[in-house]
Amino acid sequence: MYNNTLKKWLDSSYLSKNNQSYIEQTYKDFLKNPNSVDSSWIKIFEQLFIENKYEHKFLDNLTNNTYIQLKNKTIPNESYIKTNTYCSNITYTQIAQLINSFRTYGHQHSTLDPLKLWKHISKNHLLNLKNYNFSLQNIHKKFDMKIFGINKESMTLSEIYQFLKKTYCDSIGIEYMHILDIDIMLWIQNNFESTAGIFDFNSDEKKQFLKEIIAAEGIERYLATKFPGVKRFSLEGGDALIPMLKEIIRYSVCHQNIKEIFLGMAHRGRLNVLINVLGKNPQDLFNEFSDKHQTTFGSGDVKYHQGFYSDITVNKQIIHLSLLCNPSHLEIVSPVVMGCARARIDQLLKKSTYNNDKKEHNTVLPISIHGDAAISAQGIVQETFNMSKADAYDVGGTVHIIINNQIGFTTSNIHDIRSTQYCTDIAKMIQAPIFHVNADDVDSVIYVTRVALNFRNTFKRDVMIDLICYRRHGHNEADEPSVTQPLMYKKIRNHPTLLSIYSNILNKNGILSINDTSNIINAYREKLDKKCCVLQKWQPIHIRNSLCTNNLNNNKTTLYSDKIDNQYLKKLAYRINDIPSSITMHSRVEKIYHDRIEMALGNRLFDWGATEILAYATLLDQGISIRLSGEDAGRGTFFHRHAVIYDQNNGTKFTPLAYFNKKSNGKGSFYVWDSVLSEEAALAFEYGYASLSNNMLVIWEAQFGDFSNGAQIVIDQFISSSEQKWGQLCGLVMLLPHGYEGQGPEHSSSRIERYLQLCAEYNIYICVPSTPDQLYHILRQQATYSIKKPLIIISPKSLLRHPMVTTSLENLVHGSFKTVFNEIDDNIIPHQTNHVIMCTGKIYYDLLNQRRKNKQYNIAIIRIEQLYPFPYENARTILNSYSNVKNFTWCQEEPKNQGAWNYIQHYLRNIIPAHITLNYIGRPDSAAPAVGFFSVHQQQQKKIIDDALNIN
């Protein structure tokens, strides 16, 4: 173990920051008494000892505390250190520092910018050979490079310097010295230093790269000619993306057994990718440009937001490609990509996600393509990176590609765009390696691509490729970019295209003549003229109309609800709540599970938490899996769920539903995750997961309902509108705790009004269940629906333990979800009623209690349990039974400008007679959802109830 540690330290460099303290102490011991340290260290320190005459010059270049302290330390006995070793030690130390400096800072002096506009902030003297003051006698001497961790033959100082410049300061800039894992550092170091910027691509490979560059440029020029001035968000200047993506597909299939690729990207270059990578028929794209394309669903969307799904054949293997739909919110698609990938991984493995073996058998590859301005500016990026290795979201690493065209719309000054040198610096938070590459150097682009894929395959972590290019036109083709970037676009106008650069290289090397290149260009254009698929080598191609592939693991064991009877449900309820005696529960949790056993035995009515868990158990037993996530989802924010039990003796987690189902074949899997403290990325992930999941109920719970406003983009752009825009179905359930209990503006309202505003075209369901059996039935209904729709459940807080909010086993077995509840008290007779109050949610129980206390038998209270789609027929049937009533009231806890009032009044006015007034009772219009003082809340709440029950 000791020798292995020493070898790693030697391989990484003598001055590795990871070992600084240990090396310093060992060296101090050596200075005091050389024989006090291990013989291995003695040999190293003999080589490292700094000759006194060079010391004062060399120390100016070092920051390592050991060397600074050496100035005042006693030099070891001269008799101990032989003179010839002593004289050469300075050179080895200088070389070690030189190598370490290139590994750390070389990327800052790489030739990365095709336009050569980048200016290095300052010259790094640690990369200048002259500053090391090598002695003349060592200039031509050869040094063994293996001692520095470089697997090369012996080199002279000049050769070492050229080797380092070629490796670290050419067209590739490598950032990896921020990584703390020494195995990763050594792996990256070896992959780049072993080639030293010389890439062994054969002639056929280079010809293939050229063909792909021709395709990238060809489609852009063709569209510019056929549809001049029309927005297409051209890839020109970043053409290398196409050979890069195609190499990812080739290499992943042939070397890493990848079967599916999920790709997320914004609009820049999207049309190019559709044609040249996914195999979209050019005719379909041309029709979209000509407005001939007819959508078969909803509103549709612009062509550069649409998704596309194809199955192509590479090396006789079918690979599923999915380019996910994405709105103009550029970075929001990244967590959606991860969610889709994780759903597919879980499906393919048929194992619990608690099993880390999934990482070793991952055949799914997620790719996120970013813009340089967006990745450094949008907060969703940080949230997504933070999720990358969390257990609930791990996908075995995502390949991130930045189309770095050095400009964001009209802003290119780095001091306006970000506070860091690189747009990729955000990725250092997860210790991701960052490979910057000049997009005009095709061979370097391909080599970096392969290294990135190998890294991801080896370490199952995210990796960054910063493709530094330029944007040949404006933000879109109608823009004039030289208005804001005159110098940049003066350079761009005179800059040769990538096709010109690479074809000249191949011509010069005798691989492909200019005439041959012209023939390939003409052949590609001919395919476009014929409007046929341009992916010649990847045939046959099957175009899918949805995310789902046709080899999903469909579960054939799903039972029907008529299999559920009293005896079955009793036994199931007992089994899932009978916790093994080996688990030491917290006393409060033990009491909850004891009560649930009593419920199973028929001695108590079922409460909210027990009913929810039982609903999951029935679905699992039918072969339907459950994924429940959210902040505090395992326990439940309000201490009601306890789907996860923590052993009080050893802290281990015990999940009853997972435990009791894992032994049964054909049963569903139960995954419950306490999510990261994020709404936007977490909800986007769950949307992606639910979009692809099969035979599964996917639930995201907000800690408090209004916390979901941090994910408003996901709700607006995906959950509420993806079916209408893209034909993308999703059965995600959102649990949003809601209720006015005096907790202040931020913990009362789930902002029901915002969701209702989004309702149209039967896009989502919004329900406010007020009893446990209602929750039970709506969850089971959602899981077994054949057509997926998002379900928003406005869930309770105080009602979770309200004595009136219970249900019987009979209601669970024989009941169903009711969209509207009529009056429940038998002593309220419709023809003797003169006032009907309609409401939804918790306020119903406040009204019911006060009415019973007041003995007001002339008032009926009706509960609306489904707000959208509004249950018009059920509501009309119930309200028509009160034909003699002159007073109809809508009562709510929320302010008048919030809650359901502005939405529901239109439906209610269409039902009640036109000459009868519909009253509003609730809080007045308010900028904030609720007050901050409990005493004021109580006054308001009492006034609402009194006013509702005493309308004259």
Side-chain angles (χ1 to χ4, degrees), residues 329-517:
H329 294 273
L330 307 175
E331 295 293 332
I332 193 64
V333 76
S334 292
V336 179
V337 168
M338 287 177 63
C340 289
R342 178 60 178 262
R344 195 65 179 113
I345 290 167
D346 289 348
Q347 290 167 357
L348 291 169
L349 289 167
K350 299 182 182 179
K351 292 181 180 179
S352 169
T353 47
Y354 296 114
N355 186 348
N356 286 330
D357 287 346
K358 70 181 185 295
K359 300 174 187 175
E360 305 305 322
H361 304 95
N362 193 348
T363 61
V364 178
L365 174 63
I367 302 172
S368 283
I369 301 179
H370 312 263
D372 54 310
I375 192 173
S376 61
Q378 296 192 9
I380 188 69
V381 176
Q382 182 275 335
E383 290 187 27
T384 306
F385 277 139
N386 185 54
M387 289 163 46
S388 64
K389 294 305 293 179
D391 288 341
Y393 311 102
D394 190 359
V395 292
T398 299
V399 175
H400 298 270
I401 301 168
I402 297 89
I403 303 178
N404 187 347
N405 50 35
Q406 309 180 60
I407 188 171
F409 203 177
T410 63
T411 308
S412 57
N413 188 325
I414 190 172
H415 300 295
D416 295 329
I417 291 177
R418 57 181 180 267
S419 300
T420 58
Q421 179 179 359
Y422 297 116
C423 63
T424 51
D425 286 339
I426 182 68
K428 292 178 182 177
M429 66 174 280
I430 57 165
Q431 305 277 300
I434 302 166
F435 306 140
H436 308 279
V437 61
N438 188 323
D440 274 0
D441 187 337
V442 177
D443 290 356
S444 292
V445 169
I446 300 299
Y447 182 76
V448 158
T449 302
R450 291 182 180 180
V451 173
L453 291 170
N454 288 334
F455 173 86
R456 188 256 179 191
N457 191 53
T458 302
F459 297 102
K460 313 302 177 189
R461 301 183 69 89
D462 286 24
V463 60
M464 313 292 294
I465 303 175
D466 184 15
L467 185 66
I468 300 168
C469 53
Y470 58 93
R471 192 186 68 191
R472 188 161 285 276
H473 306 292
H475 175 69
N476 62 61
E477 286 62 38
D479 275 346
E480 176 46 68
S482 61
V483 171
T484 50
Q485 276 74 34
L487 300 182
M488 175 184 280
Y489 276 87
K490 190 177 291 184
K491 278 239 179 189
I492 289 173
R493 280 192 292 272
N494 297 318
H495 190 76
T497 65
L498 181 61
L499 173 56
S500 174
I501 293 169
Y502 200 59
S503 61
N504 286 337
I505 291 173
L506 298 195
N507 180 53
K508 183 178 178 181
N509 294 331
I511 296 173
L512 209 64
S513 69
I514 298 298
N515 189 52
D516 292 333
T517 300

Side-chain angles (χ1 to χ4, degrees), residues 132-147:
Y132 285 80
N133 300 308
F134 288 107
S135 61
L136 292 174
Q137 68 190 63
N138 289 321
I139 293 296
H140 301 294
K141 179 181 176 180
K142 283 188 176 288
F143 296 90
D144 182 6
M145 299 307 292
K146 289 184 175 60
I147 198 169

Side-chain angles (χ1 to χ4, degrees), residues 149-327:
I150 298 173
N151 192 25
K152 293 287 184 182
E153 299 296 327
S154 297
M155 293 183 183
T156 65
L157 287 173
S158 177
E159 290 170 338
I160 293 171
Y161 189 66
Q162 292 305 316
F163 161 79
L164 293 172
K165 285 188 68 176
K166 185 65 177 171
T167 303
Y168 289 105
C169 296
D170 202 0
S171 294
I172 300 173
I174 312 154
E175 285 193 271
Y176 69 103
M177 293 297 278
H178 59 280
I179 297 172
L180 298 178
D181 189 323
I182 197 158
D183 290 326
I184 292 177
M185 286 178 63
L186 294 175
W187 187 94
I188 295 171
Q189 189 173 292
N190 180 63
N191 268 269
F192 285 98
E193 292 180 355
S194 62
T195 59
I198 300 172
F199 313 123
D200 190 23
F201 298 121
N202 61 45
S203 296
D204 288 339
E205 287 177 310
K206 292 187 176 187
K207 288 176 184 177
Q208 185 61 43
F209 303 154
L210 181 69
K211 289 178 182 178
E212 289 158 2
I213 294 166
I214 287 170
E217 182 177 304
I219 185 63
E220 299 291 358
R221 294 203 169 194
Y222 193 91
L223 292 174
T225 302
K226 295 288 184 180
F227 309 100
V230 179
K231 287 184 183 179
R232 67 179 193 276
F233 298 101
S234 161
L235 184 62
E236 291 164 277
D239 311 68
L241 179 70
I242 299 303
M244 174 187 276
L245 288 176
K246 298 193 81 168
E247 182 64 19
I248 287 175
I249 295 169
R250 276 191 298 266
Y251 197 82
S252 297
V253 172
C254 297
H255 299 280
Q256 295 172 352
N257 196 36
I258 294 296
K259 306 291 185 188
E260 296 189 41
I261 294 178
F262 292 95
L263 176 62
M265 69 181 299
H267 43 271
R268 176 73 54 209
R270 191 179 182 97
L271 303 182
N272 205 315
V273 170
L274 283 170
I275 296 296
N276 288 318
V277 178
L278 281 91
K280 181 170 184 171
N281 192 311
Q283 176 67 68
D284 294 334
L285 181 63
F286 301 158
N287 286 344
E288 291 169 5
F289 269 97
S290 303
D291 284 333
K292 296 178 182 176
H293 182 74
Q294 295 296 318
T295 182
T296 57
F297 49 83
S299 60
D301 202 349
V302 293
K303 49 189 168 292
Y304 36 82
H305 288 173
Q306 294 282 1
F308 195 80
Y309 319 104
S310 61
D311 303 331
I312 63 173
T313 307
V314 180
N315 198 31
K316 299 181 179 179
Q317 297 182 57
I318 294 176
I319 181 166
H320 307 292
L321 304 179
S322 297
L323 175 62
L324 302 190
C325 306
N326 191 29

Side-chain angles (χ1 to χ4, degrees), residues 588-599:
R588 291 179 63 188
V589 177
E590 187 174 22
K591 171 68 165 59
I592 288 170
Y593 271 88
H594 175 268
D595 290 348
R596 290 179 182 179
I597 288 290
E598 291 293 297
M599 296 171 197

Side-chain angles (χ1 to χ4, degrees), residues 608 638 701-702 734-739 750 767-769 775 792-797 800:
W608 197 280
F638 309 103
E701 182 177 50
M734 293 175 64
L735 294 178
L736 305 179
H738 174 94
S750 65
C767 298
V768 192
L775 177 71
I792 314 298
I793 295 179
I794 309 302
S795 56
K797 296 181 294 179
L800 296 173

Side-chain angles (χ1 to χ4, degrees), residues 686-688 690-691 719 722 728-732 782 788-791:
E686 301 303 333
Y687 167 83
S691 297
I719 292 172
S722 63
Q728 179 66 61
L729 301 177
C730 175
L732 178 66
Q782 178 73 3
K788 291 182 176 182
K789 297 275 185 180
L791 168 63

